[in-house]
């Protein structure tokens, strides 16, 4: 059987120029989808708030500040101020998750357009046309190793009391309050995002930079993958995970192992979140 050309046994027919165009196009798609989300939220009459105000102390501070404003308004005869929004708007969360699902599909489309491949040809190029369950042991071992790394990192950061570098879940605990939000989040996190993100970050970016060598391609794609999660505490762990995902793809030229890692890692993280917050 002919080996897929995605890893060290060969190269992909796109390069740094395609990566540059793809990243730019991806950024434009993200911006447009976010603008669309803001517009839909306004039309729906929802609050553009997907996270709670904070812990009990921050909530108490908001309430105290609102009470002071009401007293001041009453004393001067002014209209009472609007109460603060303390909890995330579930309608906005559901709309945001639906937008995320659409965004992931569009990112795969971006890769197909930039590399000038139909979806079937793209899947073949990335080794996504065959999957061997017996090969799952490698992604499984890699997931276990990365979880040990994340726990060790969090322990060290907590011991050093570096609050800015403490990793947080990129999926808010607010999703557990509504079944629709929970279902949409599960589909996005476990089923759709792993495949779409691997096609974009490993297939396009890492694959397109492979001609520079494994380490430059892995480090750059890992840095981009880590940075887009927009969590300072996750920069280092997700960077290491991104490099690990690149290695899984590179060693056999088959993106399925990277996808399997991503699915397993996200599934465990999502299950822990639901179990601890439900």
């Amino acid at each position: 059987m002919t080996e897929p050309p995605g890893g060290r046994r060969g190269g992909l027919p796109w390069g740094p120029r395609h990566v540059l165009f793809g990243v730019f196009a991806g950024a434009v798609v993200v911006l447009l989808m976010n603008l669309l989300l803001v517009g839909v939220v306004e039309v729906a009459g929802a609050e553009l708030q997907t996270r709670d105000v904070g812990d009990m102390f921050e909530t108490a501070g908001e309430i105290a500040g609102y009470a002071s404003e009401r007293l001041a308004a009453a004393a001067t005869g002014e209209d009472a101020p609007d109460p603060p929004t303390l909890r995330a708007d579930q309608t906005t969360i559901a709309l945001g998750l639906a937008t995320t699902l659409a965004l992931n599909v569009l990112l795969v489309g971006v890769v197909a357009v930039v590399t000038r491949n139909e979806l079937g040809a793209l899947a073949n190029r990335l080794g996504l046309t065959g999957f061997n369950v017996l090969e799952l042991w490698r992604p499984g071992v890699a997931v276990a190793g990365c979880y040990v790394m994340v726990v060790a990192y969090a322990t060290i950061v907590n011991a050093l009391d570096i609050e800015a570098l403490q990793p947080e879940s990129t999926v808010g605990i607010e999703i557990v309050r509504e079944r629709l939000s929970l279902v949409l989040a599960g589909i996005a996190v476990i089923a759709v995002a792993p495949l779409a993100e691997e096609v974009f970050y490993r297939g396009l970016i890492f694959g397109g930079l492979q001609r520079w060598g494994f380490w430059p391609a892995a480090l750059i794609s890992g840095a981009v993958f880590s940075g887009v999660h927009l969590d300072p505490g996750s920069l280092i762990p997700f960077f290491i995970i991104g490099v690990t995902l690149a290695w899984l793809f590179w060693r056999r030229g088959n993106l399925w192992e990277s996808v399997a890692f991503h699915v397993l890692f996200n599934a465990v993280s999502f299950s822990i979140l639901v179990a601890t917050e439900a």
Side-chain angles (χ1 to χ4, degrees):
M1 180 180 292
T2 303
E3 290 285 351
R8 60 185 175 187
R9 293 176 176 79
L12 291 165
W14 51 85
R17 179 172 59 87
H18 300 87
V19 173
L20 184 61
F21 288 154
V23 170
F24 175 76
V28 171
V29 169
V30 170
L31 176 61
L32 292 176
M33 292 301 289
N34 278 301
L35 291 175
L36 176 63
L37 174 61
V38 172
V40 173
V41 168
E42 290 183 356
V43 170
E47 293 284 344
L48 194 62
Q49 183 168 325
T50 58
R51 291 294 179 99
D52 294 343
V53 166
D55 59 24
M56 58 183 297
F57 298 105
E58 291 176 293
T59 300
E62 288 284 338
I63 294 173
Y66 173 63
S68 297
E69 291 175 1
R70 278 192 66 95
L71 289 172
T76 58
E78 298 177 356
D79 294 335
D82 293 330
T85 303
L86 302 177
R87 285 202 162 194
D89 191 302
Q90 289 296 324
T91 299
T92 300
I93 290 177
L95 290 171
L97 290 168
T99 302
T100 299
L101 288 169
L103 174 61
N104 279 292
V105 174
L106 289 174
L107 286 179
V108 174
V110 165
V111 178
V113 170
V114 168
T115 61
R116 298 181 180 180
N117 281 270
E118 295 181 353
L119 291 178
L122 179 64
N124 186 60
R125 290 282 189 187
L126 298 176
L128 287 171
T129 53
F131 177 66
N132 187 353
V133 177
L134 298 178
E135 302 294 329
L136 276 176
W137 69 270
R138 270 185 295 267
V141 170
V143 167
C146 284
Y147 255 102
V148 171
M149 175 272 297
V150 171
V151 171
Y153 171 81
T155 301
I156 293 171
V157 168
N158 287 332
L160 296 175
D161 196 26
I162 308 176
E163 186 175 353
L165 293 182
Q166 293 175 358
E168 296 182 1
S169 173
T170 54
V171 178
I173 61 174
E174 296 81 3
I175 63 166
V176 303
R177 296 189 192 128
E178 294 286 342
R179 181 171 299 179
L180 177 59
S181 297
L182 188 60
V183 170
L184 288 174
I187 294 172
V189 170
I190 300 174
V192 179
L195 178 59
E197 291 184 4
E198 290 313 302
V199 168
F200 190 84
Y201 295 106
R202 255 59 62 181
L204 173 66
I205 299 179
F206 171 75
L209 299 179
Q210 275 191 96
R211 62 189 62 185
W212 293 350
F214 170 78
W215 283 109
L219 295 176
I220 293 172
S221 61
V224 175
F225 173 71
S226 174
V228 298
H229 284 85
L230 303 177
D231 174 32
S234 298
L235 283 175
I236 294 175
F238 278 12
F239 172 73
I240 296 173
I241 289 171
V243 173
T244 302
L245 287 163
W247 178 81
L248 285 170
F249 176 39
W250 173 79
R251 68 177 304 282
R252 289 183 63 83
N254 188 325
L255 199 62
W256 271 126
E257 292 195 12
S258 302
V259 174
F261 175 105
H262 212 140
V263 169
L264 290 170
F265 190 91
N266 283 10
V268 172
S269 302
F270 187 75
S271 299
I272 293 173
L273 173 69
V274 173
T276 55
E277 301 294 340

